[in-house]
Amino acid sequence: MPAPKWGVVGTMDEPPELVAAYAAHHLWAGASAVHIYLDRDNPRTRALLAPLAAVHVTVADEAYWRSELDIKVPKTHQRRQTLNATMAYRRTDVDYLVHLDADEFIHQVEPLEQELMRLQRMRPGDYLSIPNLERVWLEGEPQDAMFSGNFRASTKRLEADFSRLVLDGEGLTRFGLTGHSEGKACTPTGYDYVLGIHRPHHDTERPWTFPGVKRSRSSVVLHFDGMTRLHWVYKRLRKALFRSIQVGQPITEQMQAQIDAIDAAGGDMEAANALHDRIKVLGVMAEALRAEDLLLEVPFDVTRGLSALLPHETFDLSAAGFDRWLREEKAEFFDALA
Protein backbone atom coordinates (compact mmCIF):
# COMPACT_ATOMS: atom_id res chain seq x y z
CA MET A 1 0.00 0.00 0.00
CA PRO A 2 1.47 3.40 -0.96
CA ALA A 3 1.96 6.00 1.76
CA PRO A 4 -1.07 8.27 2.18
CA LYS A 5 -0.80 11.76 0.76
CA TRP A 6 -1.54 14.66 3.06
CA GLY A 7 -2.18 18.35 2.62
CA VAL A 8 -3.10 21.52 4.50
CA VAL A 9 -5.81 24.14 4.15
CA GLY A 10 -6.14 27.63 5.62
CA THR A 11 -8.10 30.85 5.30
CA MET A 12 -5.93 33.91 5.72
CA ASP A 13 -5.41 37.64 5.38
CA GLU A 14 -1.71 37.97 6.10
CA PRO A 15 1.46 39.41 4.54
CA PRO A 16 2.57 37.66 1.34
CA GLU A 17 5.80 36.59 3.04
CA LEU A 18 3.93 34.66 5.72
CA VAL A 19 1.54 33.01 3.26
CA ALA A 20 4.49 31.98 1.05
CA ALA A 21 6.35 30.62 4.08
CA TYR A 22 3.26 28.62 5.11
CA ALA A 23 2.91 27.09 1.65
CA ALA A 24 6.60 26.43 1.00
CA HIS A 25 7.26 24.94 4.43
CA HIS A 26 4.45 22.42 4.18
CA LEU A 27 5.33 21.37 0.65
CA TRP A 28 8.98 21.02 1.67
CA ALA A 29 7.86 18.98 4.71
CA GLY A 30 5.98 16.48 2.55
CA ALA A 31 2.52 17.91 1.84
CA SER A 32 1.11 17.03 -1.57
CA ALA A 33 -1.35 19.93 -1.66
CA VAL A 34 -1.77 23.32 -0.01
CA HIS A 35 -5.18 24.99 -0.25
CA ILE A 36 -5.16 28.70 0.54
CA TYR A 37 -8.27 30.86 0.72
CA LEU A 38 -7.55 34.58 0.75
CA ASP A 39 -10.03 36.70 2.70
CA ARG A 40 -8.85 39.61 0.53
CA ASP A 41 -7.14 39.45 -2.83
CA ASN A 42 -3.42 40.15 -2.78
CA PRO A 43 -1.72 40.15 -6.20
CA ARG A 44 1.76 39.75 -4.69
CA THR A 45 0.65 36.68 -2.74
CA ARG A 46 -0.79 35.11 -5.87
CA ALA A 47 2.34 35.95 -7.85
CA LEU A 48 4.64 34.41 -5.24
CA LEU A 49 2.63 31.19 -5.13
CA ALA A 50 2.01 30.87 -8.88
CA PRO A 51 5.16 28.74 -9.54
CA LEU A 52 4.03 26.13 -6.99
CA ALA A 53 1.71 23.76 -8.83
CA ALA A 54 0.59 22.01 -5.65
CA VAL A 55 -0.66 25.28 -4.13
CA HIS A 56 -4.29 26.09 -4.88
CA VAL A 57 -5.21 29.72 -4.21
CA THR A 58 -8.82 30.89 -4.04
CA VAL A 59 -9.79 34.52 -3.53
CA ALA A 60 -12.74 34.26 -1.13
CA ASP A 61 -14.41 37.52 -2.06
CA GLU A 62 -18.09 38.41 -2.26
CA ALA A 63 -18.44 36.87 -5.72
CA TYR A 64 -16.87 33.63 -4.52
CA TRP A 65 -19.32 33.20 -1.64
CA ARG A 66 -22.25 33.97 -3.89
CA SER A 67 -21.18 31.50 -6.59
CA GLU A 68 -20.11 28.68 -4.26
CA LEU A 69 -22.78 28.74 -1.54
CA ASP A 70 -25.20 31.49 -2.62
CA ILE A 71 -24.64 33.38 0.63
CA LYS A 72 -23.21 36.70 1.72
CA VAL A 73 -19.69 36.78 3.11
CA PRO A 74 -19.94 35.14 6.57
CA LYS A 75 -19.33 37.68 9.32
CA THR A 76 -17.09 35.59 11.57
CA HIS A 77 -13.63 34.42 10.59
CA GLN A 78 -14.27 31.01 12.15
CA ARG A 79 -17.33 30.47 9.97
CA ARG A 80 -15.37 31.38 6.83
CA GLN A 81 -12.57 29.07 7.91
CA THR A 82 -14.86 26.10 8.47
CA LEU A 83 -16.78 26.52 5.21
CA ASN A 84 -13.61 26.97 3.15
CA ALA A 85 -11.82 24.04 4.78
CA THR A 86 -14.79 21.76 4.19
CA MET A 87 -15.02 22.77 0.52
CA ALA A 88 -11.33 22.01 0.08
CA TYR A 89 -11.81 18.72 1.96
CA ARG A 90 -14.49 17.61 -0.49
CA ARG A 91 -12.43 18.52 -3.56
CA THR A 92 -8.84 17.69 -2.69
CA ASP A 93 -7.07 14.63 -4.02
CA VAL A 94 -5.01 13.97 -0.89
CA ASP A 95 -5.85 11.22 1.60
CA TYR A 96 -5.63 13.41 4.73
CA LEU A 97 -6.16 17.14 5.17
CA VAL A 98 -5.04 19.37 8.07
CA HIS A 99 -6.90 22.62 8.79
CA LEU A 100 -4.35 25.20 10.00
CA ASP A 101 -4.19 28.93 10.65
CA ALA A 102 -1.56 31.02 8.88
CA ASP A 103 0.57 31.14 12.05
CA GLU A 104 0.60 27.34 12.49
CA PHE A 105 3.29 25.10 11.01
CA ILE A 106 3.60 21.31 11.19
CA HIS A 107 6.93 20.07 12.58
CA GLN A 108 7.74 16.37 12.25
CA VAL A 109 10.02 14.14 14.28
CA GLU A 110 9.01 11.10 12.22
CA PRO A 111 7.53 11.50 8.72
CA LEU A 112 3.83 12.16 9.11
CA GLU A 113 2.93 9.81 6.25
CA GLN A 114 4.38 6.83 8.13
CA GLU A 115 2.06 7.47 11.06
CA LEU A 116 -0.83 8.02 8.66
CA MET A 117 -0.08 4.74 6.91
CA ARG A 118 -0.45 2.89 10.21
CA LEU A 119 -3.63 4.78 11.07
CA GLN A 120 -5.15 4.20 7.63
CA ARG A 121 -4.47 0.47 7.88
CA MET A 122 -5.79 0.01 11.42
CA ARG A 123 -8.53 2.66 11.80
CA PRO A 124 -9.27 4.11 8.35
CA GLY A 125 -12.07 6.52 9.37
CA ASP A 126 -10.29 8.01 12.37
CA TYR A 127 -8.47 11.32 12.37
CA LEU A 128 -5.04 12.10 13.77
CA SER A 129 -4.95 14.80 16.46
CA ILE A 130 -1.67 16.73 16.23
CA PRO A 131 -0.86 18.47 19.53
CA ASN A 132 0.35 22.06 19.51
CA LEU A 133 3.20 23.96 21.08
CA GLU A 134 3.05 27.73 21.50
CA ARG A 135 5.88 30.13 20.72
CA VAL A 136 7.26 32.11 23.66
CA TRP A 137 10.17 34.48 24.12
CA LEU A 138 12.99 34.28 26.62
CA GLU A 139 13.85 37.32 28.70
CA GLY A 140 16.34 39.43 26.75
CA GLU A 141 15.73 37.53 23.49
CA PRO A 142 15.38 39.89 20.51
CA GLN A 143 11.85 39.93 19.13
CA ASP A 144 13.04 41.16 15.75
CA ALA A 145 11.98 38.20 13.58
CA MET A 146 8.66 36.58 12.70
CA PHE A 147 10.02 33.11 13.44
CA SER A 148 11.98 31.85 16.43
CA GLY A 149 12.59 28.54 18.17
CA ASN A 150 11.36 28.55 21.79
CA PHE A 151 8.02 26.88 22.41
CA ARG A 152 5.91 26.14 25.43
CA ALA A 153 4.03 22.86 25.84
CA SER A 154 0.57 22.59 27.31
CA THR A 155 0.03 21.07 30.75
CA LYS A 156 -3.12 19.40 29.43
CA ARG A 157 -3.29 15.69 30.29
CA LEU A 158 -0.35 15.99 32.69
CA GLU A 159 -0.81 14.66 36.22
CA ALA A 160 0.86 17.22 38.47
CA ASP A 161 0.32 20.61 40.09
CA PHE A 162 1.69 23.23 37.70
CA SER A 163 -0.01 26.23 39.31
CA ARG A 164 3.33 27.93 39.98
CA LEU A 165 4.21 27.74 36.27
CA VAL A 166 0.99 28.98 34.69
CA LEU A 167 -1.40 31.91 34.89
CA ASP A 168 -4.47 29.69 34.65
CA GLY A 169 -5.58 30.86 38.11
CA GLU A 170 -5.96 34.39 36.75
CA GLY A 171 -7.63 33.08 33.62
CA LEU A 172 -4.93 34.59 31.38
CA THR A 173 -3.76 31.18 30.20
CA ARG A 174 -5.33 27.75 29.84
CA PHE A 175 -3.04 24.82 30.48
CA GLY A 176 -0.24 27.38 30.40
CA LEU A 177 -0.97 28.69 26.89
CA THR A 178 -2.40 32.04 25.81
CA GLY A 179 -3.99 30.51 22.72
CA HIS A 180 -5.58 27.12 22.21
CA SER A 181 -4.38 23.77 23.53
CA GLU A 182 -6.64 21.54 21.41
CA GLY A 183 -4.17 20.83 18.63
CA LYS A 184 -5.25 20.38 15.02
CA ALA A 185 -6.80 17.45 13.15
CA CYS A 186 -5.37 15.53 10.23
CA THR A 187 -8.61 14.22 8.75
CA PRO A 188 -9.09 11.31 6.30
CA THR A 189 -10.86 12.40 3.13
CA GLY A 190 -13.79 10.65 1.49
CA TYR A 191 -16.11 10.76 4.51
CA ASP A 192 -19.14 12.86 5.45
CA TYR A 193 -17.02 15.11 7.65
CA VAL A 194 -17.15 18.85 8.21
CA LEU A 195 -13.78 20.34 9.11
CA GLY A 196 -14.05 22.39 12.27
CA ILE A 197 -11.31 24.57 13.68
CA HIS A 198 -9.78 21.79 15.79
CA ARG A 199 -11.51 18.55 14.76
CA PRO A 200 -13.96 17.16 12.21
CA HIS A 201 -17.53 16.18 12.90
CA HIS A 202 -20.13 14.28 10.93
CA ASP A 203 -22.27 16.37 8.59
CA THR A 204 -25.37 16.30 10.76
CA GLU A 205 -27.44 18.73 12.79
CA ARG A 206 -26.36 19.52 16.33
CA PRO A 207 -25.55 17.86 18.61
CA TRP A 208 -22.60 16.88 16.46
CA THR A 209 -21.03 13.46 16.54
CA PHE A 210 -17.32 12.93 16.00
CA PRO A 211 -15.21 10.27 14.34
CA GLY A 212 -12.58 8.29 16.23
CA VAL A 213 -9.26 9.89 17.03
CA LYS A 214 -5.63 8.94 17.60
CA ARG A 215 -3.12 11.36 19.15
CA SER A 216 -0.06 11.92 16.97
CA ARG A 217 3.35 10.72 18.13
CA SER A 218 5.19 11.89 15.02
CA SER A 219 4.35 15.57 14.75
CA VAL A 220 3.42 18.79 16.50
CA VAL A 221 1.83 22.02 15.35
CA LEU A 222 4.03 25.01 16.06
CA HIS A 223 1.59 27.79 16.92
CA PHE A 224 3.26 31.17 16.79
CA ASP A 225 0.11 32.82 18.21
CA GLY A 226 1.02 36.21 16.85
CA MET A 227 3.96 36.55 14.49
CA THR A 228 5.08 39.67 16.37
CA ARG A 229 4.13 41.40 19.59
CA LEU A 230 2.04 43.87 17.60
CA HIS A 231 0.26 41.00 15.85
CA TRP A 232 -0.59 39.33 19.18
CA VAL A 233 -1.90 42.62 20.53
CA TYR A 234 -3.84 43.35 17.33
CA LYS A 235 -5.65 40.02 17.49
CA ARG A 236 -6.82 40.72 21.06
CA LEU A 237 -7.91 44.29 20.44
CA ARG A 238 -9.60 43.34 17.16
CA LYS A 239 -11.53 40.58 18.90
CA ALA A 240 -12.66 43.05 21.56
CA LEU A 241 -13.89 45.43 18.86
CA PHE A 242 -15.73 42.73 16.92
CA ARG A 243 -17.44 41.44 20.04
CA SER A 244 -18.68 44.95 20.78
CA ILE A 245 -20.31 45.36 17.37
CA GLN A 246 -21.19 41.79 16.32
CA VAL A 247 -23.33 39.43 18.37
CA GLY A 248 -22.11 35.87 18.54
CA GLN A 249 -18.38 36.40 18.01
CA PRO A 250 -16.77 33.27 19.54
CA ILE A 251 -14.00 33.71 22.07
CA THR A 252 -11.99 31.55 24.44
CA GLU A 253 -12.10 32.20 28.18
CA GLN A 254 -8.42 33.06 28.28
CA MET A 255 -8.66 35.58 25.44
CA GLN A 256 -11.60 37.25 27.17
CA ALA A 257 -9.52 37.44 30.34
CA GLN A 258 -6.65 38.93 28.38
CA ILE A 259 -8.96 41.57 26.87
CA ASP A 260 -10.37 42.34 30.32
CA ALA A 261 -6.84 42.74 31.70
CA ILE A 262 -5.93 45.13 28.90
CA ASP A 263 -9.10 47.15 29.54
CA ALA A 264 -8.41 47.28 33.27
CA ALA A 265 -4.94 48.68 32.58
CA GLY A 266 -6.18 51.44 30.31
CA GLY A 267 -7.23 49.65 27.14
CA ASP A 268 -4.46 51.15 25.01
CA MET A 269 -1.41 49.82 23.18
CA GLU A 270 0.84 50.38 26.18
CA ALA A 271 -1.39 48.22 28.35
CA ALA A 272 -1.63 45.53 25.68
CA ASN A 273 2.14 45.43 25.13
CA ALA A 274 2.72 45.13 28.87
CA LEU A 275 0.34 42.18 29.11
CA HIS A 276 2.04 40.46 26.17
CA ASP A 277 5.42 40.77 27.82
CA ARG A 278 4.08 39.54 31.14
CA ILE A 279 2.61 36.31 29.79
CA LYS A 280 4.63 35.64 26.63
CA VAL A 281 8.17 36.56 27.75
CA LEU A 282 9.65 34.05 30.19
CA GLY A 283 11.98 35.22 32.93
CA VAL A 284 13.05 33.15 35.93
CA MET A 285 10.25 30.69 35.14
CA ALA A 286 12.14 29.40 32.09
CA GLU A 287 14.40 27.01 33.98
CA ALA A 288 11.51 25.52 35.95
CA LEU A 289 9.58 24.97 32.72
CA ARG A 290 12.60 23.28 31.13
CA ALA A 291 12.92 20.98 34.12
CA GLU A 292 9.32 19.86 33.54
CA ASP A 293 9.87 19.49 29.75
CA LEU A 294 7.37 22.29 29.21
CA LEU A 295 9.83 24.63 27.46
CA LEU A 296 11.37 23.27 24.28
CA GLU A 297 13.82 24.61 21.73
CA VAL A 298 12.63 23.38 18.34
CA PRO A 299 15.01 23.26 15.36
CA PHE A 300 12.54 24.96 13.05
CA ASP A 301 13.86 26.85 10.03
CA VAL A 302 11.18 28.15 7.69
CA THR A 303 13.80 29.39 5.21
CA ARG A 304 14.61 25.83 4.11
CA GLY A 305 11.29 25.47 2.32
CA LEU A 306 11.45 28.97 0.86
CA SER A 307 15.01 28.47 -0.41
CA ALA A 308 14.21 25.10 -1.90
CA LEU A 309 10.95 26.00 -3.64
CA LEU A 310 11.20 29.74 -4.28
CA PRO A 311 14.96 30.25 -4.65
CA HIS A 312 14.74 33.36 -6.82
CA GLU A 313 12.61 35.34 -4.38
CA THR A 314 13.78 37.48 -1.48
CA PHE A 315 11.66 37.43 1.65
CA ASP A 316 11.58 39.92 4.50
CA LEU A 317 10.81 37.78 7.56
CA SER A 318 11.58 40.53 10.04
CA ALA A 319 9.15 41.64 12.72
CA ALA A 320 9.48 45.20 11.43
CA GLY A 321 8.40 44.12 7.95
CA PHE A 322 5.39 42.25 9.30
CA ASP A 323 4.37 45.15 11.53
CA ARG A 324 4.71 47.61 8.65
CA TRP A 325 2.32 45.51 6.54
CA LEU A 326 -0.08 45.18 9.46
CA ARG A 327 -0.19 48.92 10.16
CA GLU A 328 -0.64 49.75 6.47
CA GLU A 329 -3.28 47.14 5.71
CA LYS A 330 -5.20 47.66 8.97
CA ALA A 331 -4.66 51.43 9.15
CA GLU A 332 -8.32 52.17 9.81
CA PHE A 333 -8.25 49.96 12.91
CA PHE A 334 -5.04 51.45 14.29
CA ASP A 335 -6.18 54.99 13.53
CA ALA A 336 -9.37 54.39 15.49
CA LEU A 337 -7.36 52.93 18.37
CA ALA A 338 -5.11 55.98 18.50
Side-chain angles (χ1 to χ4, degrees):
M1 178 185 294
K5 297 187 298 181
W6 61 274
V8 299
V9 57
T11 297
M12 50 198 72
D13 177 15
E14 304 291 353
E17 288 78 8
L18 178 57
V19 181
Y22 173 99
H25 167 76
H26 288 108
L27 291 178
W28 175 84
S32 295
V34 174
H35 299 271
I36 290 175
Y37 291 82
L38 298 177
D39 259 340
R40 295 185 303 153
D41 189 18
N42 188 306
R44 173 162 163 73
T45 298
R46 288 190 285 105
L48 284 174
L49 298 178
L52 305 178
V55 178
H56 310 279
V57 179
T58 301
V59 178
D61 57 13
E62 194 172 334
Y64 159 81
W65 289 107
R66 184 60 66 190
S67 65
E68 290 291 341
L69 294 174
D70 195 24
I71 60 174
K72 295 179 179 180
V73 179
K75 289 184 178 180
T76 68
H77 184 56
Q78 287 85 348
R79 180 63 173 157
R80 297 194 299 274
Q81 286 178 302
T82 298
L83 290 172
N84 285 333
T86 302
M87 279 191 280
Y89 172 80
R90 290 174 177 163
R91 296 170 178 173
T92 189
D93 62 357
V94 300
D95 302 298
Y96 286 84
L97 192 62
V98 190
H99 184 192
L100 297 172
D101 290 349
D103 62 354
E104 295 178 323
F105 291 71
I106 294 175
H107 178 72
Q108 302 165 73
V109 177
E110 169 193 333
L112 179 57
E113 58 264 24
Q114 292 184 15
E115 188 170 32
L116 292 176
M117 184 183 296
R118 295 191 294 271
L119 180 63
Q120 188 180 56
R121 182 176 64 249
M122 298 174 62
R123 293 151 58 181
D126 289 7
Y127 72 92
L128 189 71
S129 178
I130 306 177
N132 63 288
L133 305 176
E134 184 177 287
R135 193 259 298 275
V136 292
W137 302 96
L138 302 184
E139 190 171 37
E141 179 184 4
Q143 297 184 35
D144 56 359
M146 289 163 53
F147 296 96
S148 56
N150 290 299
F151 290 84
R152 185 164 177 162
S154 165
T155 60
K156 195 173 186 177
R157 299 188 179 89
L158 299 183
E159 300 289 337
D161 179 9
F162 296 105
S163 57
R164 75 191 191 284
L165 300 178
V166 301
L167 294 174
D168 291 16
E170 298 178 51
L172 295 171
T173 60
R174 180 168 169 78
F175 302 114
L177 306 185
T178 65
H180 70 84
S181 58
E182 287 79 13
K184 289 299 176 83
C186 186
T187 304
T189 57
Y191 294 86
D192 70 328
Y193 298 157
V194 171
L195 296 197
I197 303 299
H198 297 286
R199 59 176 173 166
H201 62 81
H202 291 285
D203 189 8
T204 59
E205 298 295 324
R206 289 177 184 266
W208 293 331
T209 57
F210 302 92
V213 57
K214 177 185 180 295
R215 186 172 171 82
S216 177
R217 296 293 184 268
S218 75
S219 306
V220 293
V221 171
L222 302 180
H223 184 200
F224 286 84
D225 189 33
M227 301 308 301
T228 68
R229 183 169 74 168
L230 181 66
H231 192 213
W232 188 90
V233 166
Y234 165 74
K235 292 202 293 184
R236 271 75 191 162
L237 297 180
R238 179 191 62 180
K239 178 67 77 170
L241 174 64
F242 284 174
R243 282 178 63 79
S244 70
I245 61 178
Q246 293 181 4
V247 177
Q249 276 280 337
I251 192 169
T252 62
E253 292 181 4
Q254 64 270 28
M255 184 177 281
Q256 184 62 62
Q258 293 157 20
I259 291 170
D260 292 343
I262 293 170
D263 286 342
D268 55 12
M269 288 294 293
E270 183 178 357
N273 286 338
L275 181 69
H276 171 275
D277 290 351
R278 180 186 170 206
I279 61 180
K280 295 289 282 186
V281 180
L282 303 179
V284 295
M285 192 186 296
E287 287 306 316
L289 288 168
R290 284 197 187 95
E292 297 284 0
D293 293 324
L294 292 173
L295 177 60
L296 308 171
E297 187 172 355
V298 179
F300 176 75
D301 183 1
V302 76
T303 64
R304 290 179 291 187
L306 289 169
S307 298
L309 298 176
L310 296 169
H312 303 299
E313 298 288 347
T314 300
F315 294 94
D316 179 4
L317 302 180
S318 69
F322 186 100
D323 288 350
R324 184 167 51 252
W325 180 93
L326 188 62
R327 287 191 177 278
E328 290 174 355
E329 295 296 319
K330 310 298 181 182
E332 185 176 351
F333 174 86
F334 285 107
D335 289 346
L337 190 64

